Amino acid sequence: MRELVDKLEENKVLSKEEYILLIKNRDNEISEYLFERARAVQQKYYGKKVFVRGLIEFTNYCRNDCLYCGIRRSNRNAQRYRLTKEDILNCCREGYELGFRTFVLQGGEDPYFTDERLADIVSSIKEDYPDCALTLSVGEKEHESYQMLFDAGADRYLLRHETADDAHYRRLHPPELSPERRKKCLYDLKAIGYQVGCGFMVGSPYQTAENLADDLGFIKELQPHMVGIGPFIAQRDTPFRDMKNGTLEQTLIMLSLVRLTLPYVLLPSTTALGTIDPTGREKGILAGANVVMPNLSPVSVRKKYLLYDNKICTGDESAQCRSCLQMRMKGIGYETVVSRGDCVSPEPDAQN
Ligand code: 5AD
Ligand code: FES
């Protein structure tokens, strides 16, 4: 098993079967070795520095009905909200003062936010904060819409592929969503020139080790700048309410395998990981992640952006996620930095 980890670290291609062996591994010693090597690669490219992104969850209206997601349109219990442009700019101002140099605008697929409205918000943020990177995470759109938002100044785009296996994708989504379209969106975004992030949930319903190996294969092929990974966590108002959650162990293994597969990648230790384990985000960094995304949304709306149950950072005490995470990172010997936090390789393919 160690040889497989070494082979990955040497940037050699693993077969699907070899990936599956590593994914299924439950030997603690091997896991520790995997985390140690992932950390070595993370530190080689980024040192003991962790990038921070200010996450602004600006709308929880969504026209989609993904079976796992708490803000799916069929959820009548969700209290819907939208931030105004002014609210969003206020979040950015506060965030800038706290040292954020990347803002992530994340929301459901909300038809109220037309291309024109979003482009206007994007250009206003870029005008006020030209030294900041702006990331969008607002779902599937036509090529021309992505182009318009890019022209308005958006730098990065997060769109998790959710699962690379088409049959699995169809079991997680309603029939009107297609795996082909999702993948096309990711390639469109890349061709336009965005720094692109894909990603998936670990332990989502019906997921197999083979699916996870395919996710790594897809990531190797797409060569994204960022990969978002967190455990699946059941949400009480969704069809998957009784499904088992993803585990800490499996999520950490996947984080380290992504780090070894794409050495330079920007890899967040996610809020979902912090939700299934009190020090999950610290453990994620120690398994090779190098980004944290503290919540910058107004505290008044945080309890409403509930993709999954028991989400952390939604109470009054969490007004200052920035300093909380800074302390947490310091506690494990890492330092959060004030910078845009760009990918070390402007063209990921150049690394190979
Ligand atoms: N558990 C964990 N992650 C979830 N997401 C959506 N619902 C859940 C859930 N129940 C993730 C999806 C989506 C991202 C914004 O949040 O992967 O792409
Ligand atoms: Fe939000 Fe700690 S990061 S309260």
Side-chain angles (χ1 to χ4, degrees):
M1 260 328 189
R2 281 178 178 250
E3 317 80 66
L4 291 182
V5 179
D6 295 339
K7 200 169 153 186
L8 246 193
E9 189 179 351
E10 289 156 19
N11 211 4
K12 299 204 180 105
V13 180
L14 290 200
S15 70
K16 187 159 154 182
E17 287 65 37
E18 289 174 319
Y19 266 129
I20 290 176
L21 281 176
L22 287 170
I23 290 164
K24 284 187 166 166
N25 153 66
R26 285 293 167 276
D27 178 336
N28 273 338
E29 249 176 67
I30 298 294
S31 298
E32 279 309 320
Y33 185 61
L34 193 54
F35 302 155
E36 180 202 308
R37 297 326 303 158
R39 243 177 0 248
V41 171
Q42 163 219 60
Q43 288 173 18
K44 174 172 158 203
Y45 285 89
Y46 293 101
K48 286 186 138 187
K49 295 195 189 320
V50 174
F51 295 139
V52 288
R53 287 39 173 125
L55 180 63
I56 304 169
E57 298 158 335
F58 71 100
T59 173
N60 71 350
Y61 283 86
C62 192
R63 63 184 171 135
N64 286 337
D65 219 14
C66 305
L67 276 73
Y68 45 84
C69 185
I71 64 169
R72 66 201 300 270
R73 67 160 185 265
S74 308
N75 183 4
R76 302 273 164 258
N77 291 331
Q79 295 178 43
R80 305 288 169 171
Y81 74 91
R82 275 184 194 112
L83 299 186
T84 62
K85 176 178 173 185
E86 204 184 0
D87 294 332
I88 296 171
L89 287 169
N90 279 335
C91 289
C92 294
R93 182 158 38 77
E94 224 174 88
Y96 193 88
E97 283 161 18
L98 288 167
F100 291 103
R101 296 297 178 267
T102 290
F103 302 115
V104 182
L105 291 186
Q106 182 172 91
E109 292 193 13
D110 179 356
Y112 170 85
F113 287 100
T114 56
D115 296 344
E116 289 69 26
R117 284 193 174 120
L118 265 179
D120 173 56
I121 293 169
V122 167
S123 55
S124 297
I125 295 175
K126 291 296 283 196
E127 208 168 290
D128 290 357
Y129 306 99
D131 53 333
C132 292
L134 186 60
T135 308
L136 293 177
S137 176
V138 287
E140 296 184 358
K141 292 185 183 298
E142 294 300 325
H143 186 286
E144 62 194 56
S145 305
Y146 286 147
Q147 184 70 56
M148 181 171 167
L149 295 168
F150 185 76
D151 295 341
D155 303 277
R156 308 182 182 139
Y157 205 103
L158 304 176
L159 180 67
R160 291 191 178 178
H161 65 284
E162 309 298 355
T163 171
D165 182 89
D166 290 359
H168 185 218
Y169 189 95
R170 292 184 200 285
R171 299 185 83 174
L172 300 180
H173 298 95
E176 63 272 19
L177 288 183
S178 87
E180 295 81 14
R181 171 134 203 267
R182 180 61 59 107
K183 287 178 184 151
K184 175 179 186 295
C185 286
L186 284 164
Y187 282 102
D188 283 351
L189 287 162
K190 226 182 155 202
I192 290 168
Y194 282 95
Q195 295 173 40
V196 172
C198 66
F200 55 91
M201 295 178 284
V202 176
S204 62
Y206 319 114
Q207 186 179 62
T208 63
E210 188 186 351
N211 293 155
L212 288 170
D214 284 338
D215 286 323
L216 294 170
F218 176 71
I219 284 168
K220 185 90 188 160
E221 182 191 302
L222 177 69
Q223 298 268 321
H225 301 76
M226 309 167 279
V227 176
I229 299 181
F232 162 75
I233 303 173
Q235 205 284 349
R236 67 182 97 242
D237 301 311
T238 64
F240 288 166
R241 63 180 69 83
D242 295 322
M243 297 291 191
K244 275 213 318 261
N245 290 347
T247 65
L248 173 74
E249 292 70 24
Q250 188 74 75
T251 308
L252 296 177
I253 287 174
M254 294 313 298
L255 283 171
S256 59
L257 289 175
V258 170
R259 169 62 64 206
L260 291 172
T261 301
L262 285 191
Y264 54 80
V265 83
L266 295 164
L267 189 62
S269 194
T270 54
T271 305
L273 193 54
T275 296
I276 57 164
D277 185 285
T279 56
R281 286 168 300 178
E282 289 88 327
K283 289 169 181 154
I285 298 294
L286 295 172
N290 69 327
V291 174
V292 288
M293 297 172 66
N295 202 322
L296 252 189
S297 312
V299 176
S300 57
V301 302
R302 284 196 201 174
K303 279 199 185 352
K304 300 178 183 165
Y305 201 82
L306 293 183
L307 307 185
Y308 47 81
D309 285 345
N310 305 315
K311 187 176 173 205
I312 55 168
C313 300
T314 61
D316 293 342
E317 76 292 347
S318 62
Q320 297 301 343
C321 287
R322 174 76 174 84
S323 48
C324 172
L325 274 166
Q326 187 170 341
M327 268 176 20
R328 285 170 180 268
M329 295 303 115
K330 209 171 156 203
I332 54 167
Y334 282 72
E335 183 197 353
T336 54
V337 291
V338 176
S339 91
R340 281 173 47 118
D342 284 300
C343 196
V344 287
S345 166
E347 185 46 67
D349 305 82
Q351 289 292 330
N352 288 330

